Amino acid sequence: MATSAPRTLRSPFLMTPSLNSRLPLPSAFSIALRKNGRAVKPLVVVVSAAALDAKPTVLVAEKLGEAGIELLKEFANVDCAYNLSAEELCTKISLCDALIVRSGTKVSREVFESSAGRLKVVGRAGVGIDNVDLSAATEHGCLVVNAPTANTIAAAEHGIALLTSMARNVAQADASIKSGKWQRNKYVGVSLVGKSLAVMGFGKVGSEVARRAKGLGMHVIAHDPYAPADRARAIGVDLVSFDEAIATADFISLHMPLTPATSKILNDGTFAKMKKGVRIVNVARGGVIDEEALVRALDAGIVAQAALDVFTQEPPPKDSKLVQHERVTATPHLGASTMEAQEGVAIEIAEAVVGALKGELAATAVNAPMVPSEVLTELKPYVELAEKLGRLAVQLVAGGSGMKTVKVTYASARAPDDLDTRLLRAMITKGLIEPISSVFVNLVNADFTAKQRGLRITEERISLDGSPESPLDFIQVQVANVESRFASAISEAGEIKVEGRVKDGIPHLTKVGSFEVDVTLEGSIILCRQVDQPGMIGKVGSILGEENVNVSFMSVGRIAPRKQAVMAIGVDDQPSKEALKKIGDVPAIEEFVFLKL
């Protein structure tokens, strides 16, 4: 195809013109230059579409509600291209500033590498981000945002729908009558009024389910190791321990995230503790239930009925015993599937992506922004220490008491302007929240996430004399107004207190409550309060050795000889329940706790 000759733009100042000009430019032009008063060969410049158009480009790779598309178009060029193969996505991404996906598109490391640095934001229209390579996104300076709130009401309503339909056998009766039967006596249900509902996980969805269940006349209790008790009481809900919740409830509704701590949390052992005839609803994550154990509990009559919207494998196998069980009501992950929720998600993710492209801090960011390499290199061991102290502190809090106030103390010889603690505070927040939540915490969203959960984190600085060569001497985390799973972690001021230092580049736990210890923060830790007497290290070490659990470090801190002491044991593997019981049965051991890092 024939093309027109390039046009010539002459600079009136006989100097190299700036390409930052706001003037409209043709697709190709030449610049006449002079050197020492003499004309030289013109410079031909080809301008890309990105240079010609100041608007960013957003690639929408999966179906998004029209309201979200319209919002995006007000700010950016929008390219809706669905069902792209991995190769097609990698080809298109180098021309895009932002990408929006649902759960069906895998945003892999190859996608970020193919973007050649242009991709600035990935928006996940929904909550889960399993399909996005977060580490690759962070390495390439790309922010990842999601839409965690728009689905809340839809999920809560679906939970209530499953609760009521299960109680009245709606699905089974419907299938029966459509097969030509009339079985009124077979499908006699149970009433909800006056029955006890245990809401397991009192976050956004769980609290909305509780409100609606109260309106149905149910007595609602809840278990959540993090939820503030006053927030629960405000809607007439009592926070109780996990064991009390499952042992006393007539109905159990699951709303907890899937984490290592909650994986298969309903299993043979927990089903055995439940009231016979309990009914279970799950609109959270399939992996929180051991599905084979649930089938056994249904067959044994421990669980009368179950209503499930989520499964460990989705879609579940066609011959799934659980799905086919006559006392199970199943739906294909419809929690967020309302017209209103889909539009809400579209608007929420569009607003998040546009805000991020404008350079605004994104409250729904799920990965950390890029940190200057020299700062990160120096703070790296302290960042690790901060997160692990947070993880230790939250695991020491007894379930049901709820954290509200955390105090962080930094001891340093550096001037205040030479030590920015925002990253350290963010990592402590990450350690406090992530083990008991599905939220991803980073420097961008740490303060917002803490505030959203009613958690007040204050900071105090202790100025030390000496060389400022090292950024910090120690970090101390104190949790106020809570009960502890390990009484010895309570300081003289009545707060859970843990303190740590970096030694030779490795984080160490150096204080628990009022007891001095010294154990590397690697693997996991067993804390034991004991009567200080000979042979204790050998006894506990022998128990762990018999279980083939490798001990990486051991330290004992004591008040005085032959009195109380705390033994901190670093282990590479998680001991069995039997091994932990043996440790607890040692006569001189007064209490112990196992903590995962």
Side-chain angles (χ1 to χ4, degrees):
M1 183 173 66
T3 58
S4 59
R7 293 162 52 194
T8 299
L9 304 180
R10 295 185 179 274
S11 168
F13 301 105
L14 299 181
M15 59 186 292
T16 304
S18 169
L19 294 182
N20 291 328
S21 170
R22 296 291 182 183
L23 293 173
L25 298 176
S27 59
F29 61 92
S30 64
I31 303 174
L33 302 176
R34 289 181 176 273
K35 182 177 181 180
N36 298 328
R38 299 176 61 187
V40 297
K41 186 176 180 180
L43 173 66
V44 178
V45 179
V46 177
V47 183
S48 70
L52 291 173
D53 195 338
K55 279 189 173 184
T57 297
V58 178
L59 173 60
V60 180
E62 294 183 67
K63 185 69 176 177
L64 195 69
E66 192 59 34
I69 296 293
E70 291 302 315
L71 195 155
L72 289 169
K73 286 181 177 178
E74 293 176 6
F75 177 76
N77 297 316
V78 180
D79 179 5
C80 295
Y82 308 143
N83 303 314
L84 295 174
S85 67
E87 293 75 16
E88 290 170 335
L89 178 59
C90 288
T91 299
K92 291 182 73 73
I93 204 65
S94 62
L95 302 175
C96 302
D97 302 280
L99 169 67
I100 294 179
V101 299
R102 288 188 177 275
S103 59
T105 301
K106 187 172 180 60
V107 188
S108 63
R109 178 173 292 276
E110 289 72 26
V111 172
F112 293 104
E113 291 174 349
S114 299
S115 75
R118 179 167 175 178
L119 187 62
K120 298 297 185 294
V121 190
V122 171
R124 164 68 169 94
V127 180
I129 42 78
D130 296 344
N131 55 318
V132 181
D133 189 328
L134 288 180
S135 61
T138 302
E139 289 173 22
H140 288 79
C142 182
L143 194 67
V144 180
V145 295
N146 67 349
T149 62
N151 293 341
T152 298
I153 298 302
E157 289 177 345
H158 194 60
I160 292 295
L162 288 177
L163 178 75
T164 54
S165 62
M166 173 180 63
R168 297 305 297 270
N169 300 301
V170 172
Q172 292 85 350
D174 175 72
S176 173
I177 198 169
K178 284 178 178 176
S179 68
K181 300 176 183 177
W182 188 261
Q183 298 175 297
R184 295 181 64 192
N185 293 333
K186 182 177 180 180
Y187 296 116
V188 174
V190 294
S191 178
L192 300 179
V193 174
K195 298 294 171 51
S196 176
L197 170 67
V199 176
M200 309 300 284
F202 201 67
K204 294 184 181 70
V205 178
S207 58
E208 291 297 333
V209 167
R211 292 177 193 275
R212 287 156 176 75
K214 292 284 291 183
L216 294 172
M218 302 187 79
H219 170 63
V220 182
I221 58 177
H223 169 74
D224 191 315
Y226 189 81
D230 56 350
R231 183 163 67 87
R233 284 195 296 269
I235 58 175
V237 175
D238 296 323
L239 285 178
V240 299
S241 69
F242 179 86
D243 285 344
E244 182 179 348
I246 64 172
T248 59
D250 300 301
F251 292 80
I252 295 174
S253 188
L254 301 176
H255 304 285
M256 57 186 65
L258 179 59
T259 67
T262 62
S263 178
K264 296 186 178 181
I265 196 168
L266 293 196
N267 50 50
D268 287 313
T270 47
F271 286 131
K273 297 177 181 179
M274 295 179 186
K275 181 188 294 187
K276 187 171 184 179
V278 68
R279 289 170 168 83
I280 296 173
V281 176
N282 187 11
V283 293
R285 291 289 185 268
V288 300
I289 297 179
D290 182 333
E291 294 180 350
E292 293 181 358
L294 177 55
V295 171
R296 289 191 289 269
L298 285 161
D299 290 340
I302 297 172
V303 176
Q305 291 177 291
L308 311 172
D309 186 50
V310 288
F311 305 88
T312 302
Q313 176 185 335
E314 294 185 359
K318 293 182 179 179
D319 61 350
S320 167
K321 291 182 179 179
L322 183 62
V323 174
Q324 299 300 328
H325 203 287
E326 65 175 352
R327 294 200 300 279
V328 170
T329 300
T331 54
H333 206 145
L334 298 179
S337 296
T338 66
M339 295 174 62
E340 294 81 2
Q342 295 302 303
E343 285 295 292
V345 165
I347 292 171
E348 185 175 3
I349 198 59
E351 289 176 343
V353 167
V354 168
L357 287 173
K358 289 179 178 178
E360 300 169 358
L361 289 180
T364 59
V366 294
N367 70 326
M370 298 299 290
V371 178
S373 58
E374 62 276 11
V375 174
L376 190 58
T377 299
E378 182 180 52
L379 288 182
K380 183 177 180 181
Y382 300 94
V383 166
E384 186 179 353
L385 172 64
E387 181 180 354
K388 289 187 174 181
L389 288 176
R391 286 182 177 272
L392 286 177
V394 73
Q395 290 181 76
L396 288 168
V397 175
S401 53
M403 290 186 298
K404 290 183 180 179
T405 305
V406 175
K407 179 182 175 182
V408 182
T409 303
Y410 309 100
S412 175
R414 290 193 176 178
D417 292 342
D418 292 337
L419 180 65
D420 188 342
T421 61
R422 287 179 300 171
L423 181 57
L424 299 173
R425 183 176 72 243
M427 296 309 291
I428 289 169
T429 305
K430 178 183 179 76
L432 289 168
I433 293 176
E434 281 194 358
I436 53 173
S437 167
S438 60
V439 175
F440 294 86
V441 180
N442 57 64
L443 181 58
V444 174
N445 68 357
D447 290 342
F448 173 85
T449 303
K451 182 178 179 180
Q452 191 178 43
R453 284 158 176 74
L455 178 61
R456 182 170 178 261
I457 299 179
T458 61
E459 295 178 287
E460 181 179 273
R461 186 186 177 107
I462 299 175
S463 296
L464 302 176
D465 296 329
S467 171
E469 181 178 347
S470 176
L472 288 162
D473 183 60
F474 67 80
I475 301 175
Q476 185 183 97
V477 177
Q478 295 170 273
V479 185
N481 305 315
V482 294
E483 297 176 3
S484 177
R485 294 173 56 211
F486 186 68
S488 301
I490 301 293
S491 67
E492 294 174 355
E495 302 170 331
I496 290 178
K497 180 169 72 174
V498 290
E499 183 177 299
R501 285 178 162 84
V502 171
K503 299 182 179 182
D504 298 322
I506 299 174
H508 282 239
L509 176 66
T510 54
K511 182 175 281 189
V512 177
S514 301
F515 291 88
E516 302 281 347
V517 297
D518 189 2
V519 58
T520 58
L521 289 172
E522 297 176 338
S524 298
I525 291 177
I526 301 172
L527 296 177
C528 302
R529 185 181 70 192
Q530 64 186 59
V531 176
D532 184 36
Q533 63 184 42
M536 293 301 300
I537 292 176
K539 288 179 182 178
V540 175
S542 296
I543 293 171
L544 294 172
E546 290 171 2
E547 292 282 326
N548 199 32
V549 174
N550 189 51
V551 175
S552 60
F553 212 94
M554 188 175 285
S555 171
V556 177
R558 60 186 185 178
I559 297 174
R562 304 285 179 168
K563 293 190 177 181
Q564 281 189 334
V566 166
M567 178 164 51
I569 308 159
V571 292
D572 293 337
D573 311 293
Q574 180 169 346
S576 65
K577 293 180 180 179
E578 292 74 17
L580 293 174
K581 184 178 184 304
K582 288 179 182 178
I583 292 173
D585 289 341
V586 174
I589 291 181
E590 298 173 342
E591 64 169 340
F592 77 97
V593 64
F594 174 74
L595 305 170
K596 296 184 67 174
L597 296 176

